[in-house]
Structure formats: structure tokens, C-alpha cells
Amino acid sequence: EREEKANISFMSFDLERDCGDIDVACYSIEGGARAQVEVRGWLHPRLGECTLHFGVLSGPRSGEWKSPLEEKSVQWPEGVTAIDGKACQFRLKQLENHLQGMDFSMPATTKKGDANGEDTIEPSIAGISFVLKNADGSEWFKPKSGGNASARFTSTGRFKGEWAQIADKIVEQEVTWDCMSLKRRYENCLEFVDEWEKQSEGMTMRKMRSWNTLVHVDSSKAVWSRMPSMPVFEVPDDDDIKASKEGFWSWMFVWQRFSFQRLLTWERNTCTQPRMLAGTTNQITLRMAELWKAHPRCRMWIRWTLATMGRGGSAGQQIRDEILVIMHGHNIKEIHGTYYEQWHQKLHNNTTPEDIGICRAVIKYLQTDGNMGEYWKVLGEHGIDKERLASYSRPITTEPYMVQTDKGRLIADFERYLGILRSVHDALDLQLALDHARSVLPGDLQGKLQGICDMGGTGFANNDEGHGKFLKIFEARQHMLAMLNSREIQPHVIKELLILDFSLETQQSVLVQGMSSENRMVQLCDQLKCLVTSLVGHLPMEDELQAILADWTALAGECAQQKWNGPVESALLLKAMVDRTSRVVGELCDKCQVLMGPKATFLGEQVGAPKRNIDVFVDEVLRGTSLIAVSLCLQRLEPVLRSLAHLPPWQMISPVDKPVQGEFRLIDKMLNIQDKVFETPTVLLSGAVSGEEEVPDGVVGVLVRSAKEAPDILSHCAVRARNFGVLLATCFDPAISAKLAEEFEGKWVEVRCKADGTLEVEAKPRPEGDAAKATAVAEELQKAAATEVKMNLADDLGCKWCITPSEMTKAGVGSKSLNLALLQPKLPKDILTPQAVALPYGCMQKSLCDDVNNESVLKELEKVLSKLQPKTSNEDAQFIFEEAQILIGAMKMPESLKAAMLEAMTAVGGEQGEERLKMLFKPRDAWEAIKGVWSSLFAIRPWVSLAKAGRSFHDLNMAVLVQELVEAKYAFVLHTVNPFTHDKDELYGELVAGRGETLVGNFPGRALSFAMKRGGEPRVISFLSKSVALHTQHCLIFRSDSNGEDLEGFAGAGLFESVCAEEDKPGFQRLHRMPIITDANYRKDLLRRIAETGWAVEKAFDGAPQDIEGCVDVKERVFIVQSRPQV
């Protein structure tokens, strides 16, 4: 409760010697004008009334004290007395429940946040630092962690984000503590981890799968079910990182990685005996192994953290003992100020991993008969120079000298000593790791690993040799991953295996990076399968990776040999698998960037790390992992597949017949420029286009840089582009988009779509009529701004509550309902439509005017929407619409509506001999879905679209088409005239597994796309690369059916929501179990049936080209759920 109240800062401290604990809460009062601080201690009764000995911190990140009484603006409690120029004391007050405390307050100011940040409150002092003493002054005590307790109130220099308290403690320790060492850092990390695990005990954990389950390929055909066999486990977005605790572990890793890179000190004013460091290292690495097993969600981070640490073990004391043995055995005197004695003193007091580099440099010096150049060269290779040697708490300021002894024996002794140093500090040397792990490894695995150690490193003469080494490493890794994913494995075995595996992963990545000329499909597919297998072993909670691995295992081998239905379809299927793998690995890399980047930047700035180290931090981490190796293999495979499948470098989502001209501009995301108006015709080269955006005014063409960030052809943005004649195309070749950006930015260009599916961009002279065009655009904007905004909320247009298909007319429903009503009697008997009724235009208004809603909702809604003015900004409109949606959500269902829906459904069932609609009607679920459709009227997209078209909200009407939700095995969309080639004799279609929302909504990946000429055979253009299939539930669907398509200048398609009474169940797709993928004859027959269905629908509408949505149900029956004239 106290922590929740502390909106400025909260810090708690466990006190040493079981003295209790104390916390400091700082929160705002008087509307943020002042800050109140409460210090509360739960102190052991033996201490009596304790005294707080404290000072004010002199700056946001300073540990320096200054006298509290100098801070005249702070209202200190009576009884604060000065002790010296920097400290004061206060006898803590006795409070209820055995508490002791102190309160004070101070002025505060509010700092405005940036566009994405919240306002912050800054108290007038940065914070306080303190220790305590007991009643009689005989005992002083402080936090268990050592040093003073520091509670900072300022947000300056503090991490803003999840786990901010951990970040503050890390920076406090690294920046302000007088004493710090590697051992101390490991101990602090152990404390954080122990506390985290206490907080995580209540976390729901999924049962871990065995290794065989993770890599198992189920070759049986998929049987449709309402519940997917590989469901998507969803965590609410806002709680995702919190629930998984990856936010915490990414902090631990970034912190320890900084230490590993020596961006944090390894020793400051401390003396750490080597055996003590080795003991602590052993303790923390074993703890990491325990946590790795217990927390599968965090395995990647824990493994990476473990890899930044030494091995530990029992050789720590030997570091101190053996250097003396060497010195005495070779009569090296312990004379103060000489090189070997200075190094001996460092080793005795503070051994660190840098001693490995020093020892290697000494050996090289002796081997080259005293060549100082070689000595400094080896030190430089380990990042050590004179300044670094002199900075140790036991500095090394002199150079080595040749000792009068048996040189060969001295070198041998130092090489043996190097082995002792490496056994404690160097966890990632493969031979060393193998020697340490032999006792826990089966003999055959030892043989495999020794073979890798003996294969001469990661160099190779040709790609065959490199590929052979790669596969040899994978064989050993696969054996170890099976052991690691065994439920019986013990922490000490996990530790050894993880260290070995990390070394092998690094070697694999180096090999892949070296095989830059590899372009053979078989070898690249082998490498990808191996790498994805390893990722699955370390990321067992990433279910989609398991689905991807199963597909690679079942399908990639035959495709790579071009034996899967011939070279073209082999390449197309591999291309789909490559696209999906690339997307998932990209998302993992993006997650790493989000979790690590801000932390590395913050910590680096606080400790003064070089900017270059901060800038490349995430990239350097990823380059040592399988993620970068996967990325490189995918990159090498892409051009090979595109060439085999004869794929053009561009996909025309909204082609144009004539060339378009405009100024060539680069943007990061189209979502970021929704309010912008381009007064000059503009061609955009854009980063991410999700498909939800509007095409900004003045834009004549949008070229999307990458297929990974491109919209679907049926996304909202694509539909709008086609409606307005705007070019929208996706580039599949990064080199082409990079060249366009370099050559044409800021220039006037002409863009032409060519018949072969390519696109041509050429610089042209800028036309002189720009000023006139700008004036015309301004006039259009003025027209939109002058348009009266008035939403019809009370006129029910004289409608009935609910109507059957025979009652549907253009005056009462939109084209979805009307077209289906007209279509049904004209279709062949084997083409079905779902049973349906409709809530006509005016039904929402009729419900608002009903007694159950008139007073409570209608009047409030009219008041809210009256705030919409012609010049209301999109941002302000968004807030108004959110209020309106809440009010729509509060509406109650009129009894008359419920009765009318039942009556209409009964009538439809009677006509068709089966009351399927009535059976599925559940009034409560139905009402929530109806309100969801109506709510979508009050949204920013129709507002922007209406303004662009110069139309009023008053022009817009919404009907709701109520249909049975067909249990869809596949869903499809058809264009009876190919939208890319405009060939009237060729139909184009797209198909996905499950419900069609993954096709028309913003779901990543491509559909199975095909084309078919009349009288011909279907030709596959692309295979499925979608992540998810939506499994429909047996219920009703409530579909928005506006009059948008009938309004001049305004296209309503894709603007409004359709809502299922029950949510779909998403499941990850596994291509190798889908007959549409694996059975060529089934695929050909089904696509032909679907295409013929499209032409039958076109014929029913007198030959007018149609955009058609439909599905194939679990009984292989074809349903048409929507048809409208093709744009």
C-alpha cells in the first residue's frame, strides 16, 4: 500500500545483523506543488529508539552528503540537529505497530513529459542517504548490501520503465559505492535474483514439454476442430513483459555483460582473495543453472547471463598459492616494486579475468627471450595497456624481466598456472569446458566434443569443409539439448552443458558468417533446420518456433532438392517457410532490442561507458547467437528462391494504369504521418505499413521498403489505395529499396508499373504547376473543414427492428446484406450462403430512443458528439470517439429487438427447413457483438475518410448483417478480374486456413495466392506464410454493413468492425499437416472449385466483376459470405 502511494519514489532496505528493515516513500501532495517523505523502520526491539544519521545527496547521481539544514525550503521535523558540516541526526518517532519513523516535506515542480512520456514531479532535493544507530549509540547498522542507504527522489538520472528500482540499485552500487569488486557484484546479483524469485513464486507456469515433444513431427493430416492442436497462449499486451519476467532478466544480463566487457570496474578499493571469488562465482553459476531449469520463459536471458561469468570451482586458492610456488621455485625475490612481486600482490588481493591476459603476455615475453614488443602486443589483444595496469588497487607499474633460471621449466610452470587462472575465470574455452564437464558427460558425447576440439577451429578451405564442421557441431549440440531438456537433469550438469553449448553456438555462428558465398539450397536448408532446432531447445516457450521446426523437418529436405511438385512449387513453398521464419526471428531480435537497448543506453550513460560500446551493444550480443546465423542463412536463401520461382522484385498491391509523378520522400512508418497533408504530389518510400492506415492527402504512390512490413492486398490501406487510384507496391529486394532511397530522395520522379510485375522509377523535371496544385489541395481541405459534422442519433428512418433476406432493400441495408439476398436464389445448389437476418439502417437509433436507453445514453451521447467541430484535430476526435464508444457499450438491449430477432430467425429457418440461426442465438452475447459493430462507427478512420471525401457523418448509415458463422476449414477471397494484370479472363484468389479474418485483417504473413484462367488449371503464386489460423466457434457473426460504398467519393470497405458472438481460438499453423499444402491433387481440385464458384457469382451479377469472400467448411462445402462489385 505504501509503495503504491509513493508516486515519486520508493526504496526499501534490509538491514544487517537482523536489525530489521526500513523504507523511504516519497509522494506528491497539494496537486504536485509539494512532496511528502515518510521514513518507516521495522526495527528489532533490542535496538530501542533508534537515531537516523543522514545527509542530503548533493546531486542526482552523487553519493556526496551535504547538511540537511542548509536546505531551507525543506520542512524538517523538530529535533533534527547538526552533527558536522555534512550530517544531521534525528531520533526516530515511535509509531503504531512497533514502527519508528520520520516525516518531512519540500516544494516540488512538475516537469512535462515528451509526447510519449508522463509528467514527472521533481522534489527540491535529490534524495537522502543514511545509516542508523541504536538508542544508546553503542551499535551502528546499515543495509545488508554494505554502504549507506540512499533514497533518491529525483527522476533525473533514473531509469524510466519496468524494474526501475532494480536499475536504481545497480547504478547506486556501480557509481556511488566506494568499494566494488567482481565478487561483490555477483553477491548483489544473487540478492536481486533471490528477491525476484520470491516475487515470481505465484506465477503460473506451463508444463514443460520433453525434448522429443519439442522436436517431434506429427505427420498425420490435420483434423478440423474448434480447438487448435497448437493453441496461441496469449498474455495481455500490457502485462506481457511483467508476466514473463523477461524485463528483470534482461536487466541482469545487461548489467553482467557490462561487467564482462570491463565497462564496470572489477576492483575498487577492495581486496578479494581468489578462493573467495571462485567460491562466489561457483555459487552464482550454480544458482543460474537452477533458475534456468525452473523458469523456461527466461532461459535465453539466464543462459546469456551465465555466459558472462567465470567458471568458479575449487581452484581459487591455488591462484594465490601457486604463484608463490613458481616464484620460490625459480628464486624470484619478493622485492617491492619489481614486476613479478607487483603481479603477485595483485593476484593475492584481487585476481580478475585480466590475469589470463597478463599470464599469456609473460609467457610470450619469456618465449621470445624478453621481447617487450610481443609482451605489449599480447596485452593489447586482451584490452590491457599501461594505464590499465597502473589503475589496479595493487598497481603494476614496471615491466617483466628475464629470470636467471631454466627458461623452459619457468615457461612450463606459467603455462600450468595459466590453466589454473582459466579454470576459475574463463568459462567459454571449449577444451577447458570439456575437461571440466567430462564427469557428467556420456562417453559418446565426450567423443563428439573432443572431435570438435581437434578439428582445427572455425577456419575452412571451402564451403564443404565449413558445412561439415557446422554439422559436426550440431550433432553434439543436439545431444546436449536433449540432455538439457530432460526433467531429471541436475543444476551442476546444466551449468557444464550450458557453458559447452554457448561455446559451440559461438563457433556455429562464426562458421555461418564465414560461409558468405554459400548459395546451395540443400546446405542452406540443412543449416537453417539445425539452427532452428537449437533455438527451440533454448526457447521452449516459443511455440511458433516449434511449428516452424516441424515444417522445416518435414518439408524442407524435398523442397531443397526441387522434388516437391517440381522446382517452382518447391521454391515457392520454401519461400513461404523462409518468410515465416524470417518474421519470427525478426520479432525475437526486435524483442531483444526493446528489452536490452534502453537498459544498455541508460546504464552506459550512468557509468560513463564509451558511446560506441553503447551503440553496438545489442548488435554485438546478437552476433554471438544463433539468431544472427539464422538471419544470414535466410538472407542467402532468398535470392536463390526468387530466381527459381521467377518472382519479380515487386508485388503490386494497388497497381495503376498510368505513370504517377511526385516528389520522392522517405518515411519511417506511415502510421506516424496520418495527420500530414502533402501539398505537392508525393511518392513515399516507407518503412512499416501495417495496413490499418489511411493514405495521406497528396500522396500518389507508396512503395514499401520490405515485405516483412507490408500490408495485405485486402487490408484497409490497400482497399483505400485502390479506391483512390494510389499506387501501392511492396519491394522484396532490400538492395533495390536502398538504391531508390540513395538516388531519388527529394527528387521529382515518375513511377511506372510494368506488365512483368516490375516497377520502374525515373527522375523527371519538376513541373511548373506545383503552386496551382497546392492551392487546389488547400481548397479541398477548406471544403472538408467547412463540412457540417452531425451524427444521426435519433431518426430511426422508420425501420423495422429486424428483417429477413426477402425484406432487404437498398434503402434498408448495405451491399453485403443486399448482394447475398439477391445472390442466393441465383446460385447453383452446391454453392451455399449462410443463413442470415439483418438489423437495418436506423436500428441503432431506434435502440437509442427506446426507454431503456433514452435518458441514460442518448442524451449523453448527443452531448459528447456535439464537441466534434469541423476543425477538430484527429487527436481530439480520437478522445471524443473513445467517450462515445463507452456510452454505446452501456446501452441495454430493448426487449422488442430481442423478440423481433427471434421472429425473423424463426422465419428464415422455416423457409430453409433448418432453424440454425435460432439455435445459435444467445441474446446476451448477441447484444455485446451488436454494440461492438455500432461502436466502430465512432472511430478515427471513418472520421478521416469522411473529411477527405467532404462528407458529413449524417450521410453514414450502418446495418448489421447477422449470419451463422460457418465452421471454416479454409477461407478465401476472390477477384474475378485479376487486379494485378487486369486480365478479365483470369481470376485471382487468396486462401488461408480457418476463418478469413487472418486474410482481411492485420495478421502477419501471406496467404496462399493463386490465379486461374477460364478453362485452365489453377497456378499457385505463393504458399501460406501466416503464423496463425483462427478456429471458428459454433456461433453467430455480426457484420458491419454500411452504406459507405454508395456514398460518392467515400469508400467504406474495411472501415468498420465485424464481431463474433464467441471469440475465435487462434492456433499456430503447421503446414506439413495441411492437405492444401501436402496433397497436390487435393489442392488443384479445391482451387478449381473455388475459382468456378467465383465465376458463378460473377454470372449471377450479370457478368459484373466481383470481389468475393467465402469459405470451405469442414464437410468441404463452399459458402459465399460476401460479394461486392470489384473496384
Side-chain angles (χ1 to χ4, degrees), residues 169-186:
K169 287 180 179 177
I170 290 171
V171 173
E172 189 79 31
Q173 295 164 7
E174 298 295 346
V175 175
T176 67
W177 284 14
D178 292 331
C179 304
M180 178 52 73
S181 65
L182 207 53
K183 175 178 179 293
R184 190 83 174 273
R185 184 172 296 121
Y186 289 165

Side-chain angles (χ1 to χ4, degrees), residues 633-844:
C633 289
L634 293 169
Q635 187 179 8
R636 291 164 191 169
L637 199 50
E638 174 81 19
V640 179
L641 298 176
R642 296 194 70 80
S643 173
L644 261 178
H646 312 296
L647 295 174
W650 292 92
Q651 181 192 20
M652 303 301 159
I653 298 171
S654 171
V656 291
D657 295 326
K658 297 178 181 178
V660 296
Q661 286 197 2
E663 186 177 320
F664 198 80
R665 302 276 292 272
L666 309 185
I667 59 168
D668 181 36
K669 291 183 179 180
M670 204 153 87
L671 194 63
N672 297 341
I673 59 163
Q674 289 297 278
D675 287 336
K676 188 168 177 61
V677 173
F678 293 88
E679 297 188 355
T680 298
T682 301
V683 176
L684 297 176
L685 181 62
S686 175
V689 178
S690 71
E692 298 297 306
E693 305 92 340
E694 285 288 332
V695 179
D697 278 325
V699 171
V700 295
V702 180
L703 310 182
V704 187
R705 282 195 188 97
S706 165
K708 297 174 190 174
E709 302 175 311
D712 191 275
I713 69 160
L714 287 174
S715 65
H716 170 74
C717 182
V719 172
R720 317 300 282 163
R722 288 196 291 273
N723 281 328
F724 289 108
V726 174
L727 169 66
L728 178 57
T730 299
C731 184
F732 284 87
D733 187 339
I736 291 177
S737 54
K739 187 177 180 184
L740 290 176
E742 182 181 347
E743 292 186 2
F744 296 113
E745 184 180 9
K747 295 180 180 177
W748 191 268
V749 298
E750 181 175 274
V751 187
R752 290 184 296 278
C753 300
K754 300 174 75 175
D756 61 357
T758 59
L759 185 141
E760 197 173 83
V761 182
E762 186 181 358
K764 290 284 184 180
R766 188 180 293 268
E768 297 178 0
D770 274 3
K773 289 179 183 176
T775 303
V777 170
E779 287 173 356
E780 285 296 315
L781 289 172
Q782 202 170 6
K783 175 185 171 185
T787 303
E788 182 186 2
V789 178
K790 183 182 178 185
M791 184 72 188
N792 173 26
L793 298 175
D795 183 1
D796 66 10
L797 308 175
C799 73
K800 293 177 65 175
W801 282 111
C802 187
I803 58 176
T804 63
S806 61
E807 299 173 291
M808 294 177 187
T809 65
K810 190 172 183 179
V813 293
S815 59
K816 282 181 190 173
S817 306
L818 188 60
N819 285 351
L820 277 179
L822 296 172
L823 182 64
Q824 185 182 4
K826 299 181 181 180
L827 287 175
K829 289 185 178 180
D830 62 340
I831 302 175
L832 307 176
T833 59
Q835 285 191 354
V837 296
L839 311 185
Y841 299 151
C843 188
M844 181 185 75

Side-chain angles (χ1 to χ4, degrees), residues 6-54:
N7 63 330
I8 297 177
S9 70
F10 182 87
M11 294 290 286
S12 59
F13 307 92
D14 288 330
L15 301 173
E16 61 187 350
R17 301 192 304 277
D18 293 322
C19 289
D21 57 81
I22 191 166
D23 68 44
V24 182
C26 181
Y27 57 90
S28 60
I29 56 175
E30 298 179 17
R34 293 187 68 78
Q36 179 77 18
V37 176
E38 295 177 354
V39 181
R40 295 291 182 268
W42 289 259
L43 306 175
H44 197 286
R46 67 178 168 78
L47 300 169
E49 292 185 1
C50 295
T51 296
L52 194 77
H53 181 85
F54 72 105

Side-chain angles (χ1 to χ4, degrees), residues 214-289:
L214 287 173
V215 299
H216 173 66
V217 178
D218 184 353
S219 57
S220 64
K221 286 186 179 179
V223 177
W224 189 88
S225 166
R226 292 195 190 105
M227 277 304 297
S229 57
M230 185 175 273
V232 178
F233 286 88
E234 291 188 332
V235 180
D237 288 345
D238 292 345
D239 298 329
D240 190 22
I241 292 176
K242 288 183 181 178
S244 68
K245 304 302 185 199
E246 289 182 282
F248 170 84
W249 275 105
S250 55
W251 252 124
M252 294 301 99
F253 169 66
V254 168
W255 179 27
Q256 296 305 319
R257 173 84 177 181
F258 265 60
S259 177
F260 175 75
Q261 294 179 303
R262 289 183 303 193
L263 299 173
L264 303 175
T265 183
W266 283 351
E267 54 160 323
R268 182 169 64 234
N269 302 328
T270 57
C271 294
T272 305
Q273 295 180 8
R275 65 182 178 85
M276 300 297 288
L277 174 60
T280 303
T281 304
N282 196 46
Q283 181 187 2
I284 194 169
T285 50
L286 278 173
R287 187 80 176 97
M288 292 291 156

Side-chain angles (χ1 to χ4, degrees), residues 518-642:
E518 183 62 88
N519 61 2
R520 295 171 296 177
M521 283 210 300
V522 172
Q523 284 76 3
L524 288 169
C525 287
D526 281 348
Q527 290 169 21
L528 275 167
K529 180 193 160 192
C530 295
L531 292 167
V532 174
T533 302
S534 302
L535 284 175
V536 167
H538 288 296
L539 297 166
M541 310 300 279
E542 296 288 345
D543 292 338
E544 188 169 7
L545 274 178
Q546 293 169 40
I548 287 170
L549 174 59
D551 286 342
W552 277 103
T553 303
L555 301 171
E558 204 175 350
C559 289
Q561 296 176 57
Q562 303 180 41
K563 295 178 180 178
W564 194 84
N565 300 329
V568 173
E569 287 205 353
S570 292
L572 287 173
L573 183 56
L574 271 179
K575 179 70 172 70
M577 292 160 62
V578 161
D579 287 349
R580 185 180 183 187
T581 307
S582 179
R583 184 175 67 250
V584 172
V585 170
E587 287 167 359
L588 278 170
C589 292
D590 291 345
K591 181 170 77 171
C592 290
Q593 178 66 56
V594 167
L595 286 167
M596 283 192 282
K599 297 178 178 71
T601 299
F602 172 78
L603 185 58
E605 289 172 350
Q606 299 307 309
V607 302
K611 187 175 184 302
R612 165 155 177 78
N613 291 75
I614 300 171
D615 291 343
V616 302
F617 183 88
V618 177
D619 187 55
E620 290 297 322
V621 170
L622 295 179
R623 285 195 171 278
T625 71
S626 294
L627 292 172
I628 189 67
V630 171
S631 176
L632 288 171
C633 289
L634 293 169
Q635 187 179 8
R636 291 164 191 169
L637 199 50
E638 174 81 19
V640 179
L641 298 176
R642 296 194 70 80

Side-chain angles (χ1 to χ4, degrees), residues 226 919-920 922 964-965 967 1032-1036 1062:
R226 292 195 190 105
M919 181 183 68
L920 295 173
K922 297 175 184 176
E964 60 175 322
L965 187 61
E967 295 179 319
T1032 55
Q1033 305 307 293
H1034 202 204
C1035 65
L1036 298 177
E1062 291 184 37

Side-chain angles (χ1 to χ4, degrees), residues 858-877:
L858 177 58
K859 291 183 178 176
E860 282 299 312
L861 190 60
E862 287 175 331
K863 189 187 301 181
V864 166
L865 290 175
S866 69
K867 300 175 191 174
L868 275 174
Q869 298 300 321
K871 294 183 180 179
T872 301
S873 69
N874 288 352
E875 186 179 0
D876 290 340

